Coordinates of all heavy atoms in Angstrom, one line a residue:
M1 N 9.8 -2.3 22.3 CA 8.8 -2.5 21.3 C 9.3 -1.9 19.9 O 9.7 -0.8 19.9 CB 7.5 -1.8 21.7 CG 6.3 -2.0 20.8 SD 4.9 -1.2 21.5 CE 3.6 -2.0 20.7
S2 N 9.3 -2.8 18.9 CA 9.7 -2.4 17.6 C 8.7 -1.5 16.9 O 7.5 -1.6 17.1 CB 10.0 -3.6 16.8 OG 10.1 -3.3 15.4
S3 N 9.2 -0.6 16.0 CA 8.3 0.2 15.3 C 7.5 -0.6 14.2 O 6.6 -0.1 13.5 CB 9.0 1.4 14.6 OG 10.0 0.8 13.7
L4 N 7.9 -1.8 14.0 CA 7.2 -2.7 13.1 C 6.4 -3.7 13.7 O 5.9 -4.7 13.1 CB 8.3 -3.4 12.2 CG 9.1 -2.4 11.3 CD1 10.1 -3.2 10.5 CD2 8.3 -1.6 10.4
D5 N 6.1 -3.6 15.0 CA 5.2 -4.5 15.7 C 3.8 -4.6 15.1 O 3.1 -5.6 15.2 CB 5.1 -4.2 17.2 CG 6.4 -4.5 18.0 OD1 7.2 -5.2 17.4 OD2 6.5 -4.1 19.1
W6 N 3.4 -3.5 14.5 CA 2.1 -3.6 13.8 C 1.9 -4.7 12.8 O 0.8 -5.2 12.6 CB 1.7 -2.2 13.2 CG 2.7 -1.8 12.2 CD1 3.8 -1.0 12.4 CD2 2.7 -2.1 10.8 NE1 4.5 -0.8 11.2 CE2 3.8 -1.4 10.2 CE3 1.8 -2.8 10.0 CZ2 4.1 -1.6 8.8 CZ3 2.1 -2.9 8.6 CH2 3.2 -2.3 8.1
M7 N 3.0 -5.1 12.2 CA 3.0 -6.1 11.2 C 2.4 -7.4 11.7 O 1.8 -8.2 11.0 CB 4.3 -6.3 10.6 CG 4.8 -5.2 9.7 SD 6.4 -5.6 8.9 CE 6.6 -4.2 7.8
A8 N 2.6 -7.7 13.0 CA 2.1 -8.9 13.6 C 0.6 -9.0 13.6 O 0.0 -10.1 13.8 CB 2.6 -9.1 15.0
R9 N -0.1 -7.8 13.5 CA -1.6 -7.8 13.5 C -2.1 -7.6 12.1 O -3.3 -7.4 11.9 CB -2.0 -6.7 14.4 CG -1.6 -6.9 15.8 CD -2.2 -5.9 16.8 NE -1.5 -4.6 16.6 CZ -2.2 -3.4 16.4 NH1 -3.5 -3.4 16.4 NH2 -1.5 -2.3 16.2
A10 N -1.3 -7.8 11.1 CA -1.7 -7.6 9.7 C -2.7 -8.6 9.2 O -2.6 -9.8 9.5 CB -0.5 -7.6 8.7
A11 N -3.7 -8.2 8.5 CA -4.8 -9.1 8.0 C -4.2 -10.0 6.9 O -4.8 -11.0 6.5 CB -6.0 -8.3 7.4
C12 N -3.1 -9.6 6.3 CA -2.5 -10.4 5.2 C -1.6 -11.5 5.7 O -1.0 -12.2 4.8 CB -1.8 -9.5 4.2 SG -0.5 -8.4 5.0
I13 N -1.4 -11.7 6.9 CA -0.6 -12.8 7.4 C -1.2 -14.1 6.9 O -2.4 -14.3 7.1 CB -0.5 -12.8 8.9 CG1 0.4 -11.6 9.4 CG2 0.1 -14.1 9.4 CD1 0.5 -11.4 10.9
G14 N -0.4 -14.9 6.3 CA -0.9 -16.1 5.7 C -1.5 -16.1 4.3 O -1.7 -17.1 3.7
V15 N -1.6 -14.8 3.8 CA -2.1 -14.7 2.5 C -0.9 -14.7 1.5 O 0.1 -14.1 1.9 CB -2.9 -13.3 2.3 CG1 -3.3 -13.1 0.8 CG2 -4.1 -13.3 3.2
D16 N -1.0 -15.3 0.4 CA 0.1 -15.4 -0.6 C 0.5 -14.0 -0.9 O -0.3 -13.2 -1.5 CB -0.4 -16.2 -1.8 CG 0.7 -16.4 -2.8 OD1 1.7 -15.7 -2.8 OD2 0.5 -17.2 -3.7
P17 N 1.7 -13.6 -0.7 CA 2.2 -12.2 -1.0 C 2.0 -11.9 -2.4 O 1.8 -10.7 -2.8 CB 3.7 -12.3 -0.6 CG 3.8 -13.4 0.3 CD 2.8 -14.4 -0.1
R18 N 2.0 -12.8 -3.3 CA 1.8 -12.5 -4.8 C 0.4 -11.8 -5.0 O 0.3 -11.1 -6.0 CB 1.9 -13.8 -5.6 CG 3.3 -14.3 -5.7 CD 3.4 -15.6 -6.4 NE 2.7 -16.6 -5.7 CZ 2.7 -17.9 -6.0 NH1 3.3 -18.3 -7.1 NH2 2.0 -18.8 -5.3
A19 N -0.5 -12.1 -4.1 CA -1.8 -11.5 -4.2 C -1.7 -9.9 -4.2 O -2.6 -9.2 -4.6 CB -2.8 -12.0 -3.2
F20 N -0.7 -9.4 -3.6 CA -0.5 -8.0 -3.4 C 0.3 -7.3 -4.5 O 0.6 -6.1 -4.4 CB 0.0 -7.7 -2.0 CG -1.0 -8.0 -0.9 CD1 -1.1 -9.3 -0.5 CD2 -1.9 -7.1 -0.4 CE1 -2.0 -9.7 0.5 CE2 -2.8 -7.4 0.5 CZ -2.9 -8.7 1.0
Y21 N 0.8 -8.1 -5.4 CA 1.7 -7.6 -6.5 C 1.1 -8.0 -7.8 O 1.4 -9.0 -8.4 CB 3.1 -8.1 -6.3 CG 3.8 -7.7 -5.1 CD1 3.7 -8.4 -3.9 CD2 4.4 -6.4 -5.0 CE1 4.3 -7.9 -2.7 CE2 5.0 -5.9 -3.9 CZ 4.9 -6.7 -2.7 OH 5.5 -6.2 -1.6
A22 N 0.1 -7.2 -8.2 CA -0.6 -7.5 -9.4 C 0.2 -7.3 -10.7 O 1.0 -6.4 -10.8 CB -1.9 -6.6 -9.5
N23 N -0.1 -8.2 -11.7 CA 0.5 -8.0 -13.0 C -0.3 -8.8 -14.0 O -1.2 -9.6 -13.6 CB 2.0 -8.3 -13.1 CG 2.2 -9.8 -12.8 OD1 1.5 -10.7 -13.3 ND2 3.2 -10.1 -11.9
G24 N -0.2 -8.5 -15.2 CA -0.8 -9.3 -16.3 C -2.2 -8.8 -16.6 O -2.7 -7.8 -16.2
L25 N -3.0 -9.7 -17.2 CA -4.3 -9.4 -17.7 C -5.3 -9.1 -16.6 O -6.2 -8.3 -16.8 CB -4.8 -10.5 -18.6 CG -4.2 -10.8 -19.9 CD1 -4.8 -12.0 -20.6 CD2 -4.4 -9.5 -20.8
H26 N -5.1 -9.7 -15.5 CA -6.1 -9.5 -14.4 C -5.6 -8.6 -13.3 O -6.0 -8.8 -12.1 CB -6.5 -10.9 -13.9 CG -7.1 -11.8 -15.0 ND1 -8.3 -11.6 -15.6 CD2 -6.5 -12.9 -15.6 CE1 -8.4 -12.5 -16.5 NE2 -7.4 -13.3 -16.6
A27 N -4.7 -7.7 -13.6 CA -4.1 -6.9 -12.6 C -5.2 -6.1 -11.8 O -5.1 -6.0 -10.5 CB -3.1 -6.0 -13.2
R28 N -6.1 -5.5 -12.5 CA -7.1 -4.7 -11.8 C -7.9 -5.6 -10.8 O -8.2 -5.2 -9.6 CB -8.1 -4.1 -12.8 CG -9.1 -3.2 -12.1 CD -10.0 -2.5 -13.1 NE -9.3 -1.6 -13.9 CZ -9.3 -0.3 -13.7 NH1 -10.0 0.2 -12.8 NH2 -8.6 0.5 -14.5
E29 N -8.3 -6.8 -11.2 CA -9.0 -7.7 -10.3 C -8.2 -8.1 -9.1 O -8.6 -8.2 -8.0 CB -9.5 -8.9 -11.0 CG -10.6 -8.7 -12.0 CD -10.1 -8.3 -13.4 OE1 -8.9 -8.0 -13.6 OE2 -10.9 -8.2 -14.3
Q30 N -6.9 -8.3 -9.4 CA -6.0 -8.7 -8.3 C -5.8 -7.5 -7.3 O -5.8 -7.7 -6.1 CB -4.6 -8.9 -8.9 CG -4.3 -10.4 -9.3 CD -2.9 -10.5 -9.7 OE1 -2.5 -10.1 -10.8 NE2 -2.1 -11.1 -8.9
V31 N -5.7 -6.3 -7.8 CA -5.6 -5.2 -6.9 C -6.8 -5.0 -6.1 O -6.8 -4.8 -4.8 CB -5.3 -3.9 -7.7 CG1 -5.5 -2.6 -6.8 CG2 -3.9 -3.9 -8.3
N32 N -8.0 -5.2 -6.7 CA -9.3 -5.1 -5.9 C -9.4 -6.2 -4.9 O -9.8 -5.9 -3.8 CB -10.5 -5.1 -6.9 CG -10.6 -3.8 -7.7 OD1 -10.1 -2.8 -7.3 ND2 -11.2 -3.9 -8.8
A33 N -8.9 -7.4 -5.2 CA -9.0 -8.5 -4.2 C -8.0 -8.2 -3.0 O -8.4 -8.4 -1.9 CB -8.6 -9.8 -4.9
A34 N -6.8 -7.6 -3.4 CA -5.9 -7.3 -2.3 C -6.5 -6.2 -1.4 O -6.3 -6.2 -0.2 CB -4.6 -6.9 -2.9
K35 N -7.1 -5.2 -2.0 CA -7.7 -4.1 -1.3 C -8.8 -4.6 -0.3 O -8.9 -4.1 0.8 CB -8.3 -3.1 -2.2 CG -7.2 -2.2 -2.9 CD -7.9 -1.2 -3.7 CE -7.0 -0.1 -4.3 NZ -7.7 0.9 -5.1
K36 N -9.5 -5.6 -0.7 CA -10.5 -6.2 0.2 C -9.9 -6.8 1.4 O -10.5 -6.6 2.5 CB -11.3 -7.3 -0.6 CG -12.3 -6.8 -1.5 CD -13.2 -7.9 -2.1 CE -14.2 -7.3 -3.1 NZ -14.9 -8.3 -3.9
V37 N -8.7 -7.4 1.3 CA -8.0 -7.9 2.5 C -7.6 -6.7 3.4 O -7.8 -6.7 4.6 CB -6.8 -8.7 2.1 CG1 -6.0 -9.2 3.3 CG2 -7.2 -9.9 1.3
C38 N -7.1 -5.7 2.7 CA -6.6 -4.5 3.5 C -7.8 -3.8 4.2 O -7.6 -3.3 5.3 CB -6.0 -3.5 2.5 SG -4.4 -4.1 1.8
N39 N -9.0 -3.9 3.5 CA -10.1 -3.2 4.2 C -10.5 -3.9 5.5 O -11.3 -3.3 6.2 CB -11.3 -3.2 3.2 CG -11.1 -2.2 2.1 OD1 -10.3 -1.3 2.2 ND2 -11.8 -2.3 1.0
T40 N -10.1 -5.1 5.7 CA -10.4 -5.7 7.0 C -9.2 -5.6 8.0 O -9.3 -6.2 9.1 CB -10.6 -7.2 6.8 OG1 -9.4 -7.9 6.4 CG2 -11.7 -7.5 5.7
C41 N -8.2 -4.9 7.6 CA -6.9 -4.9 8.3 C -6.9 -3.9 9.4 O -7.1 -2.7 9.2 CB -5.8 -4.7 7.4 SG -4.2 -4.8 8.2
P42 N -6.6 -4.3 10.7 CA -6.6 -3.3 11.8 C -5.4 -2.4 11.8 O -5.4 -1.4 12.5 CB -6.6 -4.2 13.0 CG -6.0 -5.4 12.6 CD -6.3 -5.6 11.1
V43 N -4.4 -2.7 10.9 CA -3.2 -1.8 10.9 C -3.0 -1.2 9.5 O -1.8 -0.9 9.2 CB -2.0 -2.6 11.4 CG1 -2.1 -3.0 12.8 CG2 -1.8 -3.9 10.5
A44 N -4.1 -1.0 8.8 CA -3.9 -0.4 7.4 C -3.3 1.0 7.5 O -2.5 1.3 6.6 CB -5.3 -0.4 6.8
A45 N -3.6 1.8 8.4 CA -3.0 3.1 8.5 C -1.5 3.0 8.7 O -0.7 3.8 8.1 CB -3.7 3.9 9.6
Q46 N -1.1 2.2 9.6 CA 0.4 2.0 9.9 C 1.1 1.5 8.6 O 2.2 1.9 8.3 CB 0.6 1.1 11.0 CG 0.2 1.6 12.4 CD -1.2 1.2 12.8 OE1 -2.1 1.1 12.0 NE2 -1.4 1.0 14.1
C47 N 0.4 0.5 7.9 CA 1.0 -0.1 6.7 C 1.1 1.0 5.6 O 2.2 1.1 5.0 CB 0.0 -1.2 6.3 SG 0.6 -2.0 4.7
A48 N 0.1 1.8 5.4 CA 0.2 2.9 4.4 C 1.3 3.9 4.8 O 2.1 4.2 3.9 CB -1.1 3.6 4.3
A49 N 1.4 4.3 6.0 CA 2.4 5.2 6.4 C 3.8 4.6 6.2 O 4.7 5.3 5.7 CB 2.2 5.6 7.9
W50 N 4.0 3.4 6.5 CA 5.3 2.7 6.4 C 5.6 2.7 4.9 O 6.8 3.0 4.5 CB 5.2 1.3 7.0 CG 6.5 0.6 6.9 CD1 7.6 0.7 7.8 CD2 7.0 -0.3 5.9 NE1 8.6 -0.1 7.4 CE2 8.3 -0.7 6.3 CE3 6.4 -0.8 4.7 CZ2 9.0 -1.6 5.5 CZ3 7.1 -1.7 4.0 CH2 8.4 -2.1 4.3
A51 N 4.7 2.3 4.0 CA 5.0 2.2 2.6 C 5.3 3.6 2.0 O 6.2 3.7 1.2 CB 3.7 1.6 1.9
I52 N 4.7 4.6 2.5 CA 5.0 6.0 2.0 C 6.4 6.4 2.5 O 7.2 6.9 1.8 CB 3.9 6.9 2.5 CG1 2.6 6.6 1.7 CG2 4.3 8.4 2.2 CD1 1.4 7.3 2.2
Q53 N 6.6 6.2 3.8 CA 7.9 6.6 4.4 C 9.1 5.8 3.7 O 10.2 6.4 3.5 CB 7.9 6.3 5.9 CG 7.1 7.3 6.7 CD 6.9 6.8 8.1 OE1 7.4 5.8 8.5 NE2 6.0 7.5 8.8
T54 N 8.9 4.6 3.4 CA 10.0 3.8 2.9 C 10.1 3.8 1.4 O 11.0 3.3 0.8 CB 9.9 2.3 3.3 OG1 8.7 1.8 2.8 CG2 10.0 2.2 4.8
G55 N 9.2 4.5 0.7 CA 9.2 4.7 -0.7 C 8.9 3.4 -1.5 O 9.3 3.2 -2.6
E56 N 8.0 2.6 -0.8 CA 7.6 1.3 -1.5 C 6.9 1.6 -2.8 O 6.0 2.4 -2.9 CB 6.6 0.6 -0.5 CG 6.4 -0.8 -0.8 CD 7.6 -1.7 -0.8 OE1 8.2 -1.9 0.3 OE2 7.9 -2.2 -1.9
K57 N 7.5 1.1 -3.9 CA 7.0 1.4 -5.2 C 6.0 0.4 -5.8 O 5.3 0.7 -6.8 CB 8.2 1.5 -6.2 CG 9.0 2.8 -6.0 CD 10.0 3.0 -7.1 CE 10.7 4.3 -7.0 NZ 11.8 4.3 -6.0
W58 N 6.0 -0.8 -5.3 CA 5.2 -1.9 -5.9 C 4.3 -2.5 -4.9 O 4.6 -2.6 -3.8 CB 6.2 -3.0 -6.5 CG 7.2 -2.4 -7.3 CD1 8.5 -2.3 -7.1 CD2 7.1 -1.9 -8.7 NE1 9.2 -1.7 -8.1 CE2 8.3 -1.5 -9.1 CE3 6.0 -1.7 -9.5 CZ2 8.5 -0.9 -10.4 CZ3 6.1 -1.2 -10.7 CH2 7.4 -0.7 -11.2
G59 N 3.1 -2.9 -5.4 CA 2.2 -3.6 -4.6 C 1.1 -2.8 -4.0 O 1.1 -1.6 -4.0
V60 N 0.2 -3.5 -3.3 CA -0.9 -2.9 -2.6 C -0.4 -2.8 -1.1 O 0.0 -3.8 -0.5 CB -2.2 -3.7 -2.7 CG1 -3.2 -3.2 -1.8 CG2 -2.7 -3.7 -4.2
W61 N -0.5 -1.6 -0.5 CA -0.1 -1.4 0.9 C -1.2 -0.5 1.5 O -1.5 0.5 0.9 CB 1.2 -0.7 1.0 CG 2.4 -1.5 0.4 CD1 2.8 -1.6 -0.9 CD2 3.3 -2.3 1.1 NE1 3.9 -2.4 -1.0 CE2 4.2 -2.9 0.2 CE3 3.4 -2.7 2.5 CZ2 5.2 -3.8 0.6 CZ3 4.4 -3.5 2.9 CH2 5.3 -4.1 1.9
G62 N -1.6 -0.9 2.7 CA -2.6 0.0 3.4 C -3.8 0.2 2.6 O -4.5 1.3 2.7
G63 N -4.2 -0.7 1.7 CA -5.4 -0.5 1.0 C -5.3 0.4 -0.3 O -6.3 0.7 -0.9
M64 N -4.0 0.7 -0.6 CA -3.8 1.6 -1.7 C -3.0 0.9 -2.8 O -2.1 0.1 -2.5 CB -3.1 2.8 -1.3 CG -3.9 3.8 -0.5 SD -3.1 5.3 -0.1 CE -2.0 4.8 1.2
S65 N -3.4 1.1 -4.0 CA -2.6 0.6 -5.2 C -1.3 1.4 -5.3 O -1.1 2.4 -4.6 CB -3.4 0.8 -6.5 OG -3.5 2.2 -6.8
Q66 N -0.4 0.9 -6.1 CA 0.9 1.6 -6.2 C 0.7 3.0 -6.8 O 1.4 3.9 -6.4 CB 1.9 0.8 -7.0 CG 1.4 0.3 -8.4 CD 2.2 -0.8 -8.9 OE1 2.5 -1.8 -8.2 NE2 2.6 -0.7 -10.2
Q67 N -0.3 3.2 -7.6 CA -0.5 4.5 -8.2 C -1.0 5.4 -7.0 O -0.6 6.6 -6.9 CB -1.6 4.5 -9.3 CG -1.1 3.8 -10.5 CD -1.2 2.3 -10.5 OE1 -1.8 1.7 -9.5 NE2 -0.7 1.6 -11.5
Q68 N -1.9 4.9 -6.2 CA -2.5 5.7 -5.1 C -1.4 6.1 -4.1 O -1.3 7.2 -3.6 CB -3.6 5.0 -4.4 CG -4.8 4.9 -5.3 CD -5.9 3.9 -4.7 OE1 -5.6 2.8 -4.2 NE2 -7.1 4.4 -4.7
L69 N -0.5 5.1 -3.9 CA 0.6 5.4 -3.0 C 1.6 6.5 -3.5 O 2.0 7.3 -2.8 CB 1.5 4.1 -2.7 CG 0.9 3.1 -1.7 CD1 1.6 1.8 -1.8 CD2 0.9 3.7 -0.3
R70 N 1.8 6.4 -4.8 CA 2.6 7.4 -5.5 C 2.0 8.8 -5.3 O 2.7 9.8 -4.9 CB 2.8 7.1 -7.0 CG 4.2 6.7 -7.3 CD 4.5 6.7 -8.8 NE 3.4 6.1 -9.6 CZ 3.4 4.8 -10.0 NH1 4.2 4.0 -9.5 NH2 2.4 4.4 -10.7
Q71 N 0.7 8.9 -5.5 CA 0.0 10.2 -5.4 C 0.1 10.7 -3.9 O 0.4 11.8 -3.6 CB -1.5 10.1 -5.8 CG -1.6 9.9 -7.3 CD -3.0 9.5 -7.6 OE1 -3.9 9.3 -6.8 NE2 -3.3 9.5 -8.9
R72 N -0.1 9.8 -3.0 CA -0.1 10.1 -1.6 C 1.3 10.6 -1.2 O 1.5 11.6 -0.4 CB -0.5 8.9 -0.7 CG -0.6 9.2 0.8 CD -1.8 10.0 1.2 NE -3.0 9.3 1.1 CZ -3.5 8.5 2.0 NH1 -2.9 8.4 3.2 NH2 -4.7 7.9 1.8
R73 N 2.3 9.9 -1.7 CA 3.7 10.3 -1.4 C 4.0 11.7 -1.9 O 4.6 12.5 -1.3 CB 4.7 9.3 -2.0 CG 6.1 9.3 -1.5 CD 6.9 8.2 -2.1 NE 6.4 6.9 -1.6 CZ 6.0 5.9 -2.5 NH1 6.0 6.0 -3.7 NH2 5.5 4.8 -2.0
R74 N 3.6 12.0 -3.2 CA 3.8 13.3 -3.7 C 3.2 14.4 -2.9 O 3.7 15.4 -2.6 CB 3.2 13.4 -5.1 CG 4.2 13.0 -6.2 CD 3.6 13.3 -7.6 NE 3.7 12.2 -8.4 CZ 2.7 11.6 -9.0 NH1 1.5 12.0 -8.9 NH2 2.9 10.5 -9.8
R75 N 1.9 14.1 -2.4 CA 1.2 15.1 -1.6 C 1.8 15.3 -0.3 O 1.7 16.3 0.3 CB -0.3 14.6 -1.5 CG -1.1 15.1 -2.6 CD -2.6 14.8 -2.3 NE -3.1 13.8 -3.2 CZ -3.7 12.7 -2.8 NH1 -4.0 12.5 -1.5 NH2 -4.1 11.8 -3.7
S76 N 2.5 14.2 0.2 CA 3.1 14.4 1.6 C 4.4 15.0 1.6 O 5.0 15.3 2.7 CB 3.2 13.0 2.2 OG 4.1 12.2 1.6
R77 N 5.0 15.3 0.4 CA 6.3 16.0 0.4 C 6.1 17.4 0.8 O 5.2 18.1 0.5 CB 6.9 16.0 -1.1 CG 7.4 14.6 -1.4 CD 8.1 14.7 -2.8 NE 8.3 13.4 -3.3 CZ 8.1 12.9 -4.5 NH1 7.6 13.7 -5.4 NH2 8.3 11.7 -4.8
P78 N 7.1 17.9 1.5 CA 7.1 19.3 1.9 C 6.9 20.2 0.7 O 7.6 20.0 -0.3 CB 8.5 19.5 2.6 CG 8.9 18.2 3.0 CD 8.3 17.2 2.0
G79 N 6.1 21.2 0.9 CA 5.9 22.2 -0.2 C 4.9 21.8 -1.3 O 4.7 22.6 -2.2
T80 N 4.3 20.6 -1.1 CA 3.3 20.2 -2.1 C 1.9 20.1 -1.5 O 1.0 19.7 -2.2 CB 3.7 18.8 -2.7 OG1 3.7 17.9 -1.6 CG2 5.0 18.9 -3.4
R81 N 1.7 20.6 -0.3 CA 0.4 20.5 0.3 C -0.6 21.3 -0.5 O -0.4 22.4 -0.8 CB 0.5 21.1 1.7 CG -0.7 20.8 2.5 CD -0.5 21.3 3.9 NE -1.4 20.6 4.7 CZ -1.3 20.4 6.0 NH1 -0.3 20.9 6.6 NH2 -2.2 19.7 6.7
G82 N -1.7 20.6 -0.8 CA -2.8 21.2 -1.4 C -2.7 21.3 -2.9 O -3.6 21.7 -3.6
K83 N -1.5 20.9 -3.5 CA -1.3 21.0 -4.9 C -1.8 19.7 -5.5 O -1.6 18.6 -5.0 CB 0.1 21.2 -5.3 CG 0.7 22.5 -4.8 CD 2.1 22.7 -5.3 CE 2.6 24.1 -4.8 NZ 4.0 24.2 -5.1
A84 N -2.4 19.8 -6.7 CA -2.9 18.6 -7.4 C -1.7 17.8 -7.9 O -0.7 18.4 -8.3 CB -3.8 19.1 -8.6
A85 N -1.9 16.5 -8.0 CA -0.8 15.7 -8.5 C -0.7 15.9 -10.0 O -1.6 16.2 -10.7 CB -1.1 14.2 -8.3
A86 N 0.6 15.9 -10.5 CA 0.8 16.1 -11.9 C 0.5 14.9 -12.7 O 0.4 13.8 -12.3 CB 2.3 16.5 -12.1
Ligands
SF4_101 S1 -3.1 -3.0 5.0 FE1 -3.1 -4.7 3.6 S2 -0.9 -5.0 3.0 FE2 -1.0 -3.7 4.8 S3 -0.7 -5.1 6.5 FE3 -2.9 -4.8 6.2 S4 -3.6 -6.4 4.9 FE4 -1.3 -6.3 4.8

């Protein structure tokens, strides 16, 4: 069993990947639409953990925007527990 088997159960299978990489004038709406897909996803926790572990910098993963992922990554670094994000 691969550590990436969870991807086979992703709610975003079949969804245009561009929907998860917002840019331009409607970026906020795009991010919110992507998050709605993630909110129905049975493997959102695995997806978020993977994105944090691999340093994914762009896109919506695990129901989090790239800014939220950055904050989560900072908080998960050793020695930063409980500290506010800069
Ligand atoms: S949490 Fe979102 S981006 Fe991650 S696998 Fe599920 S639907 Fe796809």
Side-chain angles (χ1 to χ4, degrees):
M1 187 175 199
S2 162
S3 61
L4 297 178
D5 285 351
W6 57 267
M7 288 183 175
R9 296 185 290 127
C12 56
I13 290 176
V15 177
D16 184 344
R18 290 176 294 187
F20 293 83
Y21 296 93
N23 63 46
L25 288 176
H26 304 290
R28 183 178 293 262
E29 289 86 352
Q30 273 185 283
V31 167
N32 288 337
K35 285 181 171 183
K36 281 185 183 171
V37 176
C38 295
N39 286 342
T40 69
C41 184
V43 292
Q46 291 95 322
C47 177
W50 185 84
I52 291 166
Q53 286 167 7
T54 60
E56 197 56 68
K57 289 189 172 78
W58 307 107
V60 172
W61 297 84
M64 290 186 281
S65 67
Q66 53 200 46
Q67 291 84 4
Q68 291 170 314
L69 281 167
R70 252 194 312 273
Q71 290 171 352
R72 183 75 70 88
R73 195 174 296 119
R74 269 192 230 117
R75 275 190 248 126
S76 68
R77 285 187 192 133
T80 58
R81 189 173 203 160
K83 293 182 182 175

